Each structure stands twice: as C-alpha cells, then as structure tokens.
Amino acid sequence: MAHEGHDHHGPHEHHHGPDAPALGPVAEHRERAPAQVACWVITCTDTRDGATDESGPRVRHALEAAGHTVLGASVARDEPNEIRHALTLAKDSGVRAVVLTGGTGLSARDVTVETVRPLFSKPIDGFGELFRALSFQQIGPAAMASRAVAGVWEGIVVFALPGSPAAVSLALERLIVPELGHLVREASR
C-alpha cells in the first residue's frame, strides 16, 4: 500500500497530538523574527532639546528594556530637511528600525508625517489605525487628531509617533515592542 500524505523529510517539524502547539503563520513568523533589532530614535521638535526631551528617552528605554539596541538618538527641528538628515544618519548607522516622536499633530509646524510618508515604499497603514483606536480608548475623540504613521523606507521600519510621553508609551507597549522583530523580518524579505 502506497503511503499517501506529505513527506516528513522537509525542513519543518510537525507537532502532532493533543498537547502539540498549533502554530499559525503569524506565530511561525514571530518565531523566526530577530529578538534584537538595531534602532535609532529621532525627536522632532522646535521646543525641546536633548536635556528637556521626555519622549525620546522614553522610546529608548522601552526599546532597550525589550532587548533591542539603540545605536543613536537625535533631536531635529520641525523642518523637513532636518528630519530627512536625521533619518539619513540613522540609515547610515545600519539600523533596522527608526522611531520618530513629535510633529504628527495638526499645527502648521507639525511636518513629520509629510516628511516621512513620501519616503515609504510600503506604508504600514494598520499601525496608525490601531494606534488611534487604542488612543480613543484612553483619551476619547481627541485621538482623531493624531496622524501617527509607519512604513518601510529602504528596508528600515519607520514609526512616526506623537510627542506626548503617554502616547509614546502606548504605541511602544501595545504595538511596536510586541511586533518589531516580526516587522523587521518581513521588511527584509
């Protein structure tokens, strides 16, 4: 009698039986994702400097606490050329992820989104959608004013967050830290 089914000599394992974990595609991708990602933090602001910035250090602490490496941090004024220059410095350092904080609101000086969005070869639309949904649970309808975005730029995953320390913590804890390795792996495939 010929054996029907699939070959068990491939590069994957099978876990059969009631106690075997059932890994779906997302779990399998996470399993293969890097546990440590080289990151860079950029604070976009006209009103703070390295000494008075709360959000940039909060990003750095959350990433490092999760086991990631922060290769550098910088402060850029709310000027497209300065933000692009900071992104270039980050890229040249060899990072795989950049987190920007600030400049995502509605004022005339909030230019982070307009600066980074055109750079994305692949926008990660779900990030902004999920962030605003989570923000709505915390602050109500004011969450609609957030223009937080994410995308892939030259193989680097880029997140643009609001400047509020509470918003930074929310984005990192609920969205970025749990998925960073997975997103970086997908962006490099």
Side-chain angles (χ1 to χ4, degrees):
M1 179 174 180
H3 173 70
E4 292 185 18
H6 56 274
D7 184 4
H8 282 270
H9 300 288
H12 60 280
E13 287 186 3
H14 292 275
H15 302 280
H16 298 284
D19 297 328
L23 293 179
V26 173
E28 287 177 13
H29 286 193
R30 280 190 187 134
E31 212 174 59
R32 294 185 185 108
Q36 183 183 51
V37 173
C39 304
W40 192 279
V41 180
I42 302 170
T43 300
C44 304
T45 181
D46 284 336
T47 59
R48 296 187 194 103
D49 59 22
T52 58
D53 175 29
E54 286 182 59
S55 295
R58 192 172 288 217
V59 172
R60 180 181 207 122
H61 175 74
L63 291 170
E64 290 176 342
H68 302 295
T69 304
V70 177
L71 297 184
S74 53
V75 176
R77 286 186 312 132
D78 289 317
E79 296 288 341
N81 287 339
E82 287 200 27
I83 295 169
R84 282 191 293 270
H85 178 71
L87 284 167
T88 300
L89 288 176
K91 179 181 74 164
D92 290 349
S93 76
V95 297
R96 302 304 316 274
V98 175
V99 179
L100 298 99
T101 175
T104 63
L106 299 176
S107 83
R109 294 294 298 157
D110 290 328
V111 297
T112 302
V113 175
E114 287 75 17
T115 303
V116 300
R117 189 182 281 147
L119 301 175
F120 295 158
S121 59
K122 300 258 183 198
I124 305 172
D125 295 328
F127 171 77
E129 295 163 0
L130 288 169
F131 176 75
R132 282 179 282 281
L134 291 168
S135 293
F136 178 78
Q137 294 171 4
Q138 290 189 349
I139 64 170
M144 76 174 79
S146 171
R147 298 181 308 128
V149 297
V152 178
W153 168 61
E154 298 194 22
I156 300 168
V157 179
V158 177
F159 301 93
L161 311 179
S164 151
V168 164
S169 292
L170 175 68
L172 283 153
E173 291 168 14
R174 298 290 305 276
L175 300 171
I176 297 172
V177 167
E179 283 298 308
L180 185 58
H182 179 212
L183 292 172
V184 165
R185 177 181 185 271
E186 291 302 302
S188 65
R189 290 176 47 167

